[in-house]
Amino acid sequence: MKKAIFILLALVCINVQAQKPMSLDPIQKQWTTKNIKVSGVANILQLVSAFQQTWPTYSGRELLKFSKSKVPYDNADKIVDIKNGYVLYSEDSPDAESDEIMSACVWNRQNGHKLFAITFSRMTPSELVFICFYDYDPKTLTLVPEKSLANLFTPAFPNYRHRYFLPQNGKSLEINEYYGALTIKHTYSWDGMKPARPQTAIEQLDLCQGEFNQDYPVVVENIFTQYALMDIDHDGHPELLLQTDDGEYKAVYSIYLTVSLLAAQSDRRFLRFYNGAVCHSGTCGALCMSDVYVLLKNSCRQSTLNDLQEYDNEKEEYGDSYYTLDGEPITKEKAEKIIKSLGEPLEPKLKWKKLAF
């Protein structure tokens, strides 16, 4: 009997490896439409093999080949860990047929079923990342698409890179979003049936907090508890906004090339947004007021226009504006022309999201 099962598994693997790989695009669109029968013991390799029979991929084929090689476990880019229910295939050769990366894992559900997840990513010919979830019923030996998890995660900003990190050890699913110099990390804990209760962290939050505290000293730890993304200059790349729970303190950062503070709001200054610019206004000392316009291009600071008014003690009022552009004096006419070109202030509808600490 054992010999018959072994022969059956061998035939299944041969058949799987002989199939021509599909493009990932139709798999991403159609994986929820088909149930998958599983042959034999439902360990991680058998689940991947069953998926591969229905949705043949390059990375799945190569992973199954690797699983039969003399190196069954490689900590770098190819992993077959049957004990922990985890596999990974990442192509390490520049001459490879495809740059697909695939990983898969399985969780034990509290109802006696298993949850199988498999994720794919590629860079060429166009970037694509997605994840598929299936419920495995040991009685029917069937993988059923878990449609309720098809939209488990949606990137905060479209057309930016993200990646799924399935657990080899532990049970938490991690998803990273990459925005230039910024990484936003979402960690989903296991609730017995599915990844749930995502906790979000920004890897560069300490850097952002430090830049803000240098210019706006406050005696509060972890002052920023919420974040949002906004494309201020409409170039397709977002800027990062952070704020406190009460919204009193805010900060705006460029994150495309490096993380750098553009403008901020505090108890002394407030923010305004324009098409292509952000302005922070308020007191700049005991006897002065200023409007500082930060103009952006390609998600970076292009120039800074400062409108400064000093208090006249004799007249008991603020005097005329003194304008500088990137630290150099400019005429009133030139300054007003720049300000007029920005149009009216905007009222952006931001989706603020909580950060975990």
Side-chain angles (χ1 to χ4, degrees):
M1 182 66 180
K2 290 183 178 180
K3 183 177 180 181
I5 293 175
F6 177 80
I7 293 173
L8 176 61
L9 291 177
L11 290 173
V12 168
C13 289
I14 291 172
N15 180 56
V16 166
Q17 292 175 17
Q19 289 178 295
K20 182 179 179 180
M22 294 176 60
S23 167
L24 293 180
D25 300 83
I27 299 175
Q28 180 200 29
K29 296 175 182 177
Q30 300 171 25
W31 69 269
T32 59
T33 64
K34 294 182 180 181
N35 293 353
I36 300 174
K37 278 291 184 179
V38 180
S39 301
V41 179
N43 62 34
I44 187 64
L45 270 182
Q46 196 61 25
L47 294 175
V48 171
S49 297
F51 181 92
Q52 183 72 8
Q53 281 188 287
T54 302
W55 304 110
T57 65
Y58 169 83
S59 52
R61 182 190 70 189
E62 297 303 305
L63 183 279
L64 293 173
K65 285 182 182 178
F66 173 76
S67 69
K68 295 185 172 303
S69 69
K70 294 181 180 180
V71 186
Y73 192 101
D74 183 336
N75 281 317
D77 48 33
K78 298 176 182 64
I79 298 173
V80 175
D81 187 353
I82 295 177
K83 179 182 178 181
N84 288 313
Y86 177 84
V87 295
L88 166 70
Y89 183 86
S90 177
E91 189 57 72
D92 57 356
S93 171
D95 300 322
E97 177 184 332
S98 172
D99 64 356
E100 280 182 22
I101 297 174
M102 180 273 283
S103 63
C105 77
V106 62
W107 290 270
N108 292 319
R109 296 183 125 172
Q110 61 188 17
N111 64 354
H113 291 204
K114 295 179 183 293
L115 182 66
F116 171 64
I118 186 166
T119 179
F120 297 91
S121 64
R122 69 156 193 237
M123 296 299 293
T124 57
S126 60
E127 188 168 358
L128 181 64
V129 178
F130 66 97
I131 189 168
C132 312
F133 288 98
Y134 292 85
D135 175 79
Y136 174 72
D137 186 341
K139 293 182 179 179
T140 62
L141 305 180
T142 304
L143 288 168
V144 178
E146 192 70 82
K147 296 180 181 180
S148 64
L149 297 178
N151 298 312
L152 176 74
F153 173 76
T154 301
F157 202 82
N159 303 320
Y160 257 81
R161 187 164 61 96
H162 64 283
R163 188 173 175 188
Y164 298 90
F165 294 91
L166 298 173
Q168 180 181 0
N169 300 296
K171 296 182 178 181
S172 296
L173 166 67
E174 295 182 359
I175 307 172
N176 284 1
E177 295 181 90
Y178 303 101
Y179 295 99
L182 187 82
T183 300
I184 300 177
K185 180 179 179 180
H186 310 273
T187 302
Y188 290 72
S189 58
W190 178 250
D191 72 354
M193 289 294 290
K194 64 185 183 302
R197 300 182 295 272
Q199 299 288 302
T200 301
I202 293 176
E203 289 191 356
Q204 296 81 0
L205 186 60
D206 287 345
L207 172 62
C208 295
Q209 186 78 62
E211 284 202 53
F212 177 85
N213 289 346
Q214 284 182 358
D215 294 335
Y216 303 88
V218 287
V219 187
V220 181
E221 292 185 0
N222 297 327
I223 182 173
F224 293 129
T225 59
Q226 301 175 44
Y227 79 99
L229 296 170
M230 176 184 177
D231 186 1
I232 296 173
D233 58 345
H234 308 292
D235 66 342
H237 304 295
E239 283 68 52
L240 171 70
L241 284 74
L242 297 172
Q243 74 170 12
T244 54
D245 273 336
D246 58 11
E248 181 178 356
Y249 293 90
K250 290 183 172 71
V252 184
Y253 297 84
S254 170
I255 57 175
Y256 184 50
L257 298 177
T258 60
V259 177
S260 59
L261 181 65
L262 298 173
Q265 176 173 305
S266 67
D267 55 345
R268 297 182 294 110
R269 302 186 69 78
F270 64 93
L271 288 171
R272 295 197 304 275
F273 294 93
Y274 297 85
N275 280 319
V278 58
C279 176
H280 54 115
S281 304
T283 61
C284 50
L287 300 173
C288 74
M289 298 284 290
S290 70
D291 297 307
V292 181
Y293 299 85
V294 179
L295 283 67
L296 300 179
K297 184 176 181 181
N298 297 326
S299 293
C300 297
R301 184 193 298 262
Q302 181 185 29
S303 56
T304 302
L305 172 63
N306 195 346
D307 174 0
L308 179 69
Q309 308 107 44
E310 293 185 339
Y311 190 78
D312 189 324
N313 285 317
E314 293 184 359
K315 296 181 179 181
E316 296 185 345
E317 62 182 22
Y318 284 93
D320 294 336
S321 291
Y322 173 73
Y323 298 99
T324 61
L325 183 64
D326 297 329
E328 298 295 326
I330 60 171
T331 64
K332 177 182 178 181
E333 291 73 21
K334 183 175 181 180
E336 290 180 343
K337 183 178 180 180
I338 294 173
I339 295 171
K340 185 178 180 180
S341 71
L342 301 177
E344 294 296 318
L346 305 175
E347 295 184 7
K349 296 180 180 180
L350 299 172
K351 294 182 179 179
W352 292 100
K353 299 184 178 182
K354 285 280 189 180
L355 290 169
F357 296 95

